[in-house]
Amino acid sequence: MTDVYDMITQDDLTEDLRDLALVIGIENVRKLLKSYSGAQFYIPKITRLDAFIQHYLSCNKAKDTKKIAYELSCSEQYVRNKRKELKSKFEKNLGSVL
């Protein structure tokens, strides 16, 4: 039996789903439609992923602020603030160990 979702072509998609298909492929869009029809997703900017940002900054301490801001598509001020938060968090954890 043919799966009805296999019949969907890019021409059948809405504009936003066509854009998604260009990035992830029509097969993956079909899977999303099949598994998540009716659901709404918010796809945040990478800077909203706090755990990732902390990890990224920890692994890239030697990189300058401007380069990191460029890589994350954010402002240099954002990077400075996050580095400051990370340093403060480290110092607080260090103090609780001593």
Side-chain angles (χ1 to χ4, degrees), residues 6-96:
D6 291 338
M7 298 173 63
I8 296 172
T9 67
Q10 289 211 333
D11 293 333
D12 299 321
L13 300 176
T14 58
E15 186 178 342
D16 56 340
L17 287 176
R18 271 190 229 116
D19 291 344
L20 194 57
L22 289 173
V23 175
I24 67 171
I26 187 72
E27 281 301 317
N28 289 318
V29 170
R30 289 180 185 135
K31 289 176 186 177
L32 286 171
L33 287 168
K34 188 173 185 175
S35 299
Y36 297 101
S37 284
Q40 293 182 1
F41 291 92
Y42 165 70
I43 301 173
K45 291 178 68 174
I46 197 169
T47 53
R48 300 288 294 164
L49 306 174
D50 289 336
F52 169 76
I53 296 299
Q54 288 180 8
H55 176 73
Y56 186 82
L57 292 175
S58 294
C59 292
N60 292 284
K61 291 178 183 175
K63 281 188 185 176
D64 72 346
T65 300
K66 190 172 195 166
K67 184 164 178 72
I68 289 177
Y70 175 78
E71 291 172 347
L72 297 177
S73 299
C74 65
S75 70
E76 291 176 49
Q77 185 63 46
Y78 172 84
V79 175
R80 281 191 290 277
N81 288 342
K82 286 298 180 180
R83 280 183 160 165
K84 192 175 187 180
E85 286 176 24
L86 191 59
K87 183 180 177 184
S88 175
K89 193 175 191 180
F90 175 76
E91 289 171 350
K92 181 180 177 187
N93 289 339
L94 186 62
S96 66

